[in-house]
Amino acid sequence: MSRTYYVFSPGRLQRRDNTLALEFQGERRVIPVEDVDHIYCFSELDLNTRLLDFLAQKQICLHLFNHYGHYSGSFIPRESQLSGFLLVKQVEHYLDPGKRLVLARTFVTGALHNIRRNLEKREYEDTCQKLDEIKEGISKTAFIEELMSLEAHGRKAYYDRWEEITGWEFSSRSKRPPGNALNALISFGNAMMYTTVLKEIYRTALNPTISYLHEPSERRYSLSLDVAEIFKPVFVDRIIFRLINLGMIKENHFDINVNSAYLTEEGRRIFVKEFEETMEKTILHRNLKRNIRYKSLIRLDLYKLIKHLLGEESYSPMKVWW
Amino acid sequence: MNSDLANEVRAASITGTMVAYYFICHRKLWLFAKGLNLENISGNPDVIKGRVLHESRFQRESHKEVSFDTVKIDFLHYGDQVYVHEVKKSKKFEEAHTWQLKYYIYLLQSKGVNCSSGVIHYPASMRKEEVYFSPEDQEHLEQTLAGIKAVLNERVPKKKDGRRVCSRCAYFDFCYV
């Protein structure tokens, strides 16, 4: 159980002879079920409850995206990892403003550190300095709102450099809908990161709705948003820079209208391929003293978060060391 | 036998796995008991081998996966008395496996079942070990159960102890990251 499968063309996904089969345009492709971890679906798919039951039995998640590449939802098998004890601890750290602030600050500090690393390589001294000042301010914040506005300042300083880094038009961050190609890439990349973190959260006993930086009332799996903050600069942003700077993705991979831009199917394929390859790369972990995949870094951070919640050791987020 | 203690044990929901973990690692026992189970998500090759053995061997046994109270016994044999059988991958933690099996016998006895011995199967190394439950065992087991309850009452898990066995444990990443 390790691979993620992506479906881009409309068809029918079904259970067949105790494994999965994808039928499209009269063709049938058999997918070995033991090899599947997650299925991402970017097109129309016919399916039935027999399939869903089978996916549940094999502990496979099915994530659905709409026509525009927005995340619509997931089919997630009945949770096998439950710990009432950890849930109580999670809530305790949310309800106590002091404890919540400690965790929220950690997420922002981690995110800013990783953002800075992306700029350090490119010698943007002034922006780095600005980020350092903001980082200093984090320890003085007393409210979540304050912290969030600091983070927004940091991010804006960072995004101001994007036109120089990529050579593409950016102006400012726009969402729902993204205003230009670069914004479309960020939105799509962040959605990928969000679901990747979410699937790791489901492997642990953490409850994905209780979060610290984002409000749990956002009607989303907001813990996933918290943790994704740390990993977005490392994975998504670096992939975007690589795709553009190496000329792998071009203007014709976008569907651009007056006030909105979306990745085309071909564009999504390119992004997802690069994303998958990045997540499968390995790196030597200094504490564990062995090679681990990039995607495992997320799980390891969740373990650290659990240890923090248990009161064992303080959470220090993943800081890029490469 | 002391039926009060048997009731207490049931209330503490001590499973067979927990008895074995008590002899392997108190930290692992604490985490497991709090629902922080890393066995099935770690991708640990030893765990996977163990599961495959469990699923593939002793297919023809008729009294498999017998559950009662908080435990699940691999399979039972009936003769002049009841015999408990447990399947394990490696003999590395034989003492832990022995006490796990003795705990099953103890629970069965508390229910009035005529049972005092069993067998641990190690199909990977084609060996088996017979286990007898003696009156002295009862005392030691009861001390063990009290020890388990003490571990579970701890507010935080015991510190990791950096033993060589840690590197092959499903909880390694969690403990050492």
Side-chain angles (χ1 to χ4, degrees):
Chain A
M1 284 232 301
S2 63
R3 246 189 299 173
T4 308
Y5 280 75
Y6 297 88
V7 180
F8 288 102
S9 0
R12 180 171 189 81
L13 186 64
Q14 57 182 329
R15 173 182 185 168
R16 182 169 276 276
D17 303 330
N18 254 345
T19 193
L20 294 172
L22 183 65
E23 283 177 5
F24 59 101
Q25 292 162 359
E27 221 184 299
R28 179 185 298 155
R29 221 180 266 177
V30 177
I31 304 170
V33 70
E34 298 297 339
D35 188 40
V36 186
D37 209 6
H38 291 262
I39 302 170
Y40 280 67
C41 173
F42 293 102
S43 65
E44 272 184 42
L45 203 60
D46 285 337
L47 39 86
N48 55 20
T49 51
R50 188 163 164 259
L51 173 83
L52 295 179
D53 182 57
F54 188 53
L55 293 179
Q57 189 193 322
K58 297 286 179 187
Q59 290 284 311
I60 298 169
C61 296
L62 176 69
H63 306 284
L64 304 169
F65 291 78
N66 72 7
H67 178 70
Y68 300 105
H70 289 314
Y71 175 62
S72 338
S74 303
F75 168 75
I76 291 166
R78 183 174 60 87
E79 282 197 72
S80 56
Q81 296 284 331
L82 285 177
S83 167
F85 184 82
L86 186 64
L87 179 62
V88 170
K89 291 284 174 194
Q90 250 187 289
V91 175
E92 182 190 318
H93 280 255
Y94 170 73
L95 289 177
D96 181 325
K99 286 182 179 169
R100 179 178 174 191
L101 201 60
V102 168
L103 278 173
R105 277 191 198 135
T106 313
F107 289 121
V108 176
T109 317
L112 288 182
H113 177 273
N114 292 338
I115 280 173
R116 193 184 190 279
R117 287 290 282 180
N118 282 353
L119 296 175
E120 274 168 36
K121 294 181 170 179
R122 297 180 168 81
E123 292 168 359
Y124 291 127
E125 293 291 337
D126 48 334
T127 314
C128 285
Q129 217 174 338
K130 206 168 182 180
L131 288 174
D132 289 338
E133 284 164 25
I134 291 174
K135 258 204 242 168
E136 297 219 339
I138 288 176
S139 52
K140 299 188 191 91
T141 49
F143 300 100
I144 299 287
E145 297 73 34
E146 238 181 294
L147 190 62
M148 287 202 107
S149 91
L150 266 187
E151 195 219 355
H153 280 303
R155 241 172 231 286
K156 188 173 178 306
Y158 173 52
Y159 283 137
D160 282 346
R161 291 295 183 178
W162 277 49
E163 289 196 353
E164 284 171 64
I165 297 172
T166 59
W168 282 20
E169 183 208 347
F170 185 68
S171 65
S172 66
R173 181 83 178 99
S174 52
K175 299 175 213 176
R176 278 170 256 170
N180 51 35
L182 207 42
N183 269 299
L185 272 177
I186 299 176
S187 290
F188 184 74
N190 287 351
M192 289 295 300
M193 197 69 241
Y194 169 72
T195 50
T196 307
V197 174
L198 183 61
K199 66 194 188 192
E200 293 298 333
I201 292 178
Y202 270 108
R203 292 257 184 263
T204 70
L206 286 165
N207 184 306
T209 58
I210 298 165
S211 55
Y212 304 96
L213 177 61
H214 296 82
E215 274 300 327
S217 56
E218 284 189 62
R219 268 181 264 167
R220 282 187 288 177
Y221 297 119
S222 40
L223 183 62
S224 186
L225 296 174
D226 281 5
V227 177
E229 292 292 337
I230 294 165
F231 292 98
K232 278 179 333 195
V234 191
F235 297 123
V236 179
D237 297 357
R238 288 184 180 196
I239 289 172
I240 294 175
F241 298 156
R242 203 178 321 144
L243 288 175
I244 295 176
N245 291 340
L246 299 181
M248 292 160 81
I249 208 153
K250 298 193 180 68
E251 295 282 344
N252 61 7
H253 291 127
F254 296 88
D255 199 350
I256 299 176
N257 297 311
V258 184
N259 55 1
S260 69
Y262 293 106
L263 268 170
T264 59
E265 188 192 313
E266 180 61 22
R268 278 179 213 162
R269 271 180 204 270
I270 295 169
F271 189 98
V272 160
K273 186 164 176 284
E274 195 62 28
F275 188 81
E276 262 313 288
E277 281 174 9
T278 307
M279 299 310 262
E280 292 297 324
K281 271 190 211 157
T282 60
I283 188 163
L284 183 70
H285 194 283
R286 291 182 293 191
N287 287 358
L288 301 178
K289 296 185 181 64
R290 65 179 172 84
N291 283 322
I292 56 157
R293 293 196 190 129
Y294 279 4
K295 69 174 176 193
S296 311
L297 290 170
I298 302 169
R299 175 93 57 86
L300 293 175
D301 251 43
L302 296 177
Y303 288 167
K304 289 191 276 180
L305 178 60
I306 293 175
K307 290 207 273 190
H308 180 103
L309 296 170
L310 296 181
E312 225 195 334
E313 39 191 274
S314 303
Y315 174 43
S316 77
M318 196 279 291
K319 292 180 174 167
V320 245
W321 63 85
W322 63 92
Chain B
M1 94 158 269
N2 181 348
S3 69
D4 283 353
L5 191 87
N7 285 331
E8 232 181 283
V9 165
R10 267 191 285 276
S13 347
I14 294 175
T15 67
T17 309
M18 281 154 69
V19 172
Y21 282 1
Y22 181 76
F23 290 92
I24 296 170
C25 173
H26 287 189
R27 180 179 168 83
K28 184 172 175 170
L29 165 63
W30 190 94
L31 291 166
F32 176 82
K34 302 290 175 189
L36 301 166
N37 182 3
L38 300 166
E39 298 271 317
N40 296 323
I41 59 159
S42 65
N44 182 308
D46 290 331
V47 174
I48 295 169
K49 276 182 224 162
R51 187 169 58 227
V52 170
L53 267 188
H54 196 93
E55 284 167 4
S56 58
R57 297 301 181 104
F58 304 101
Q59 296 264 27
R60 281 168 295 190
E61 294 297 333
S62 42
H63 307 288
K64 283 177 57 166
E65 311 259 294
V66 182
S67 301
F68 65 95
D69 293 347
T70 56
V71 298
K72 192 168 175 186
I73 296 176
D74 281 354
F75 61 93
L76 293 176
H77 271 178
Y78 296 101
D80 50 340
Q81 53 167 283
V82 173
Y83 298 92
V84 181
H85 292 256
E86 178 69 20
V87 185
K88 293 288 182 194
K89 187 183 77 69
S90 117
K91 288 186 75 154
K92 194 162 189 176
F93 298 109
E94 204 180 329
E95 191 199 3
H97 303 157
T98 307
W99 285 107
Q100 178 176 357
L101 206 126
K102 284 181 178 171
Y103 176 55
Y104 294 154
I105 296 172
Y106 171 83
L107 285 182
L108 285 169
Q109 285 184 353
S110 79
K111 290 192 164 301
V113 177
N114 178 16
C115 171
S116 59
S117 65
V119 182
I120 309 171
H121 299 266
Y122 296 103
S125 51
M126 294 198 285
R127 284 173 197 279
K128 55 184 184 181
E129 289 300 326
E130 294 192 18
V131 176
Y132 299 95
F133 190 85
S134 65
E136 300 85 68
D137 284 339
Q138 178 161 335
E139 198 183 326
H140 189 236
L141 186 66
E142 285 172 357
Q143 280 169 12
T144 300
L145 295 173
I148 292 173
K149 283 204 289 181
V151 171
L152 302 190
N153 282 334
E154 294 289 329
R155 283 186 55 242
V156 289
K158 196 172 150 279
K159 288 257 170 295
K160 60 182 183 255
D161 46 13
R163 285 180 294 166
R164 265 183 72 191
V165 288
C166 287
S167 64
R168 296 196 62 175
C169 175
Y171 292 66
F172 178 80
D173 285 1
F174 181 85
C175 295
Y176 286 85
V177 64

